[in-house]
Amino acid sequence: MQIAAMRKTLSAVLTALLVLAPVVPARADVYHASPKLVIILVIDQFRGDYLDRYRDDFKTPSGFNLFLKRGAYFTDCYYDYANTETAAGHSTIGTGAYSAGHGIALNQWWDLNRSTDHAVSSVEDERYEIVGDHGPKDIGTSPRNELASTLGDEVKLATRGQSKVFGISLKDRAAILTSGHASDGAFWLDKATGHFVSSTYWGPKLPEWVDSFNHSGRTEKAALESSSRPGHFYDDAGATPASVSYLMDFAQALIAGEKLGRHDTTDILTISISSTDILGHQVGPDAPEQRAMIDAIDVDLNAFSTWLDKNVDGGMGNVWVSLTGDHGVGATTAGAAAAGFPAASFDLKKAMAALDVALNAKFSPGKNLSYLLPSASPNTTMPAVSLDPRTFAGVNVNEADAEAAVAALLPAAFESAEPPAPDGPVRLPARAIVRNVYTKVQMQAGQVPDTPDGRIVRNSYSPYGGWYVLVTPGMYVQYASIDPTKLKQSRVNHYTPYAYDRHVPLAFFGAPFVAGTYHQPVEPVDIAVTFASLLRINHPSNAVGSVLTFALKPGQ
């Protein structure tokens, strides 16, 4: 009798404990909201060495140290393609594919079937309109150009729309392409007013919480903090830490307004901090201003993590976060030259004019026809030369022959635009300005060398852009519409296959990950598939990444 009574008492105690204990899913999966929220955090133009270079600056517990001390941090993460630009990078992060899989190779490109007077944006969609305060000539946007699904898309499909998916950034392409086709909303800045806008792709008007944020006085506060000129919010505020705290405050407004992290299935939020890119193009990676920007991001991320811990069900224990960059960046021309590299900047317009002269000599002697379209990305290092098929058709030249001719004539034409020797102890290039040229026809057919460089080129292929050739410049050589004699300029660019443009950090924070520093080679395409595997859903449609099993706890 005494043993029976003890058993009854023990059974009652165990029952009480089970009733009082919180209900925890047996494993993580999207269907049981474990985790409650997944955040894909991208920092624009965030080179792979920054976290270690400035590690001693990070004093907060939950800023970058959330990843460096409490997360899985990968030191050797490189993009495996050549077209290191913002649109391509964000598409790659969201889809787990490279340009050959998702189609986005440039921020904008020529599509003469859609427009003959301007290059088409990577997110341009004339079927829709911008929603919110915007300029009268702004064209609508959508994810239509992205030819693959994203992690967010697969979460929406798996949960039959129960999960919520959003993307935010200062840039439209960063907000839209990372979050995907099925997202519930994407928001970015109107460059003049600084208010957040969207597109009718997601609905006829902005959600009430967005309107409330836009008219809360927060924009004016950021403009004042950054001494922004009226009508220049993106350019002025965007290059200061004020824009980072502004974006993170908007992220908090979104999470509260949409109740992210409080649903029966996992929610997804993509956040892209553009400020490092806006500033970085002006000052370069070694400038103290860029270091100050990164230090400010650390403080803002700490505040955001603290806020999440109080506003997501279960706190940070129910949140997974990945951190990476959309591309790296090279040294300034002056900095590389001073270090002894054969760095150079030269006038792209002059080089293109020389190429047009050579094409006229070959196909239309004595004439002055325009065989080339203007650079689709005039303010960045020139990644591709766009051909005008109308002119070639007029002289009975097809695409394959036209691109082959441009590829053959381009190196000499570009080298003819090499700048004169500058004053001072700066060395001129000791080798060709142009390293490689590949035609679109070659890339499409896979007719590139079976080498690491060839693989990178194959991954860079896109069906968009009409007729074009992809150009690889020499190391630390910039093709841009700038004064080629001013090697002391601080402006920098990206879009090369070199390690300095492909290297970005990669880190994860969350319950499944074994904290530590990892030196195995990894790629940004691994983010989407690792999350998809942990959430027990399909990989994005064209994903080529690998699940980072070596950094996961047993039983995940």
Side-chain angles (χ1 to χ4, degrees):
M1 291 292 293
Q2 191 175 13
I3 294 176
M6 289 176 65
R7 285 176 176 169
K8 286 183 179 180
T9 302
L10 181 59
S11 177
V13 171
L14 290 173
T15 300
L17 289 174
L18 288 172
V19 170
L20 293 172
V23 178
V24 180
R27 66 169 185 264
D29 67 61
V30 69
Y31 309 103
H32 296 92
S34 179
K36 302 294 290 187
L37 179 64
V38 170
I39 297 174
I40 296 177
L41 176 62
V42 186
I43 305 180
D44 205 319
Q45 198 186 119
F46 200 58
R47 207 171 65 181
D49 62 338
Y50 281 163
L51 288 182
D52 284 305
R53 184 178 190 178
Y54 302 128
R55 183 189 285 252
D56 292 344
D57 292 1
F58 308 145
K59 307 301 183 185
T60 69
S62 298
F64 289 125
N65 281 327
L66 185 74
F67 305 98
L68 294 172
K69 294 183 177 180
R70 299 162 58 192
Y73 168 49
F74 303 86
T75 59
D76 294 84
C77 180
Y78 289 83
Y79 282 95
D80 200 34
Y81 65 175
N83 45 302
T84 43
E85 268 197 356
T86 295
H90 284 83
S91 290
T92 293
I93 293 164
T95 65
Y98 287 116
S99 295
H102 58 61
I104 307 296
L106 298 165
N107 291 337
Q108 52 271 326
W109 55 78
W110 284 100
D111 184 342
L112 298 179
N113 292 321
R114 293 175 64 179
S115 174
T116 58
D117 60 11
H118 72 276
V120 174
S121 159
S122 57
V123 291
E124 183 171 321
D125 193 339
E126 55 276 7
R127 300 172 301 174
Y128 298 97
E129 298 178 359
I130 300 297
V131 176
D133 299 331
H134 64 91
K137 294 183 179 180
D138 288 353
I139 302 173
T141 58
S142 83
R144 72 178 283 188
N145 297 318
E146 195 167 50
L147 303 179
S149 68
T150 64
L151 175 71
D153 290 336
E154 296 301 331
V155 166
K156 293 291 285 189
L157 286 170
T159 63
R160 293 178 296 175
Q162 294 180 70
S163 294
K164 288 196 172 184
V165 177
F166 287 91
I168 65 171
S169 178
L170 304 189
K171 299 180 180 180
D172 55 2
R173 52 189 178 269
I176 294 170
L177 297 172
T178 322
S179 54
H181 299 269
S183 66
D184 295 279
F187 305 99
W188 58 92
L189 285 189
D190 173 74
K191 291 188 175 182
T193 66
H195 283 177
F196 282 91
V197 298
S198 188
S199 162
T200 52
Y201 177 85
W202 291 278
K205 62 181 182 179
L206 293 173
E208 290 185 5
W209 62 264
V210 179
D211 271 331
S212 296
F213 183 89
N214 282 339
H215 297 95
S216 66
R218 186 63 183 85
T219 311
E220 290 73 18
K221 181 175 182 291
L224 183 63
E225 291 173 353
S226 59
S227 301
S228 176
R229 298 166 294 167
H232 295 269
F233 187 94
Y234 177 89
D235 293 326
D236 293 350
T240 73
S243 63
V244 181
S245 59
Y246 182 62
L247 179 69
M248 302 314 292
D249 282 354
F250 184 75
Q252 293 181 20
L254 188 156
I255 292 168
E258 298 292 341
K259 296 181 172 58
L260 298 192
R262 295 188 172 183
H263 297 119
D264 294 333
T265 57
T266 300
D267 296 324
I268 306 289
L269 175 61
T270 70
I271 303 173
S272 177
I273 297 174
S274 309
S275 314
T276 37
D277 186 72
I278 299 170
L279 174 66
H281 277 294
Q282 300 174 19
V283 302
D286 304 315
E289 297 92 336
Q290 187 71 311
R291 180 175 185 170
M293 177 72 81
I294 294 167
D295 290 348
I297 293 174
D298 176 59
V299 174
D300 287 325
L301 289 181
N302 181 72
F304 183 56
S305 299
T306 302
W307 185 90
L308 285 173
D309 196 42
K310 299 176 181 178
N311 290 274
V312 171
D313 288 350
M316 286 298 288
N318 266 337
V319 177
W320 298 350
V321 190
S322 67
L323 168 69
T324 193
D326 63 338
H327 55 76
V329 67
T332 63
T333 304
F341 287 94
S345 295
F346 70 97
D347 194 334
L348 176 58
K349 291 182 179 179
K350 182 178 178 181
M352 295 284 276
L355 180 55
D356 235 344
V357 168
L359 288 167
N360 271 283
K362 181 176 180 64
F363 294 117
S364 52
K367 296 184 179 179
N368 187 26
L369 303 181
S370 296
Y371 286 94
L372 307 173
L373 292 166
S375 175
S377 303
N379 296 319
T380 66
T381 295
M382 190 277 305
V385 172
S386 298
L387 285 59
D388 192 332
R390 299 167 298 185
T391 308
F392 283 100
V395 293
N396 298 314
V397 177
N398 63 28
E399 179 180 2
D401 291 341
E403 291 176 0
V406 170
L409 296 171
L410 187 145
F414 273 42
E415 286 165 22
S416 72
E418 182 178 335
D423 296 331
V426 181
R427 305 174 189 175
L428 282 176
R431 40 151 178 72
I433 289 287
V434 176
R435 180 178 176 183
N436 289 312
V437 182
Y438 297 99
T439 72
K440 180 183 177 183
V441 169
Q442 286 177 312
M443 294 167 67
Q444 186 176 26
Q447 296 172 347
V448 295
D450 187 18
T451 62
D453 279 355
R455 184 188 65 250
I456 287 173
V457 170
R458 286 195 298 272
N459 287 340
S460 305
Y461 168 74
S462 171
Y464 298 128
W467 299 6
Y468 65 82
V469 297
L470 184 71
V471 183
T472 300
M475 179 177 57
Y476 294 111
V477 171
Q478 294 187 37
Y479 302 156
S481 297
I482 51 180
D483 185 340
T485 64
K486 294 181 179 179
L487 284 181
K488 293 183 179 180
Q489 62 169 318
S490 60
R491 184 175 175 82
V492 294
N493 279 310
H494 44 86
Y495 199 107
T496 75
Y498 298 116
Y500 51 76
D501 279 350
R502 294 190 294 112
H503 188 199
V504 293
L506 178 60
F508 291 89
F509 168 83
F513 300 97
V514 179
T517 299
Y518 299 86
H519 297 286
Q520 291 95 327
V522 295
E523 303 174 36
V525 290
D526 299 336
I527 297 171
V529 296
T530 296
F531 277 149
S533 179
L534 290 169
L535 294 171
R536 307 301 198 271
I537 61 173
N538 291 331
H539 290 182
S541 60
N542 294 2
V544 296
S546 300
V547 180
L548 301 178
T549 53
F550 58 85
L552 300 179
K553 295 175 183 176
Q556 296 302 313

